[in-house]
Amino acid sequence: MKINIIDIPKISDPRGNLAVIEKDCIPYPVKRVYYLYDVPSDAFRGGHSHKEQQEFLVALSGSFEVVLDDGKFKKRVMLNKPNKGLLIPSGIWRELDNFSSGAVCLVLASGEFDENDYIRDYIEFQDL
């Protein structure tokens, strides 16, 4: 499964840290930015795959887990550092759960919203 945790360049000084996502930090131009917040700890998000779109997830605050599934193998990844991001290529089923109080998940997507790019049925996903 081609899942990468990418270090986000950061600049540290006595005033705090500054994380920078630019240039070649992620392998595509960002077309859409959105974030998840105030997710109840017993809820989950995601539950889909993309045909073309890639996504880069960052825990800006708090923590959450991402369950990744390529149809053969499943992997669980904890995101809890704002200077590390999870690159999810197309064709990977994802579910986000175990959100801590105050968690914020930033998503940098390679495409604008297109319902036709989503696979929301797990059986259909497995058939592909």
Side-chain angles (χ1 to χ4, degrees), residues 36 39-47 57 59 61-68 74-80 86 93-101 103-105:
L36 308 169
V39 179
S41 61
D42 60 347
F44 81 94
R45 299 295 308 237
L57 281 61
S61 179
S63 65
F64 54 90
E65 292 182 287
V66 184
V67 180
L68 304 158
K74 287 187 180 183
K75 181 178 184 178
R76 184 175 281 273
V77 176
M78 168 71 75
L79 291 178
N80 59 4
L86 176 66
W93 188 268
R94 79 286 315 275
E95 294 179 3
L96 288 69
D97 63 10
N98 293 325
F99 285 81
S100 71
S101 177
V104 177
C105 172

Side-chain angles (χ1 to χ4, degrees), residues 45-57:
R45 299 295 308 237
H48 64 266
S49 177
H50 288 283
K51 297 173 187 171
E52 300 289 331
Q53 183 169 279
Q54 300 177 71
E55 293 182 334
F56 186 64
L57 281 61

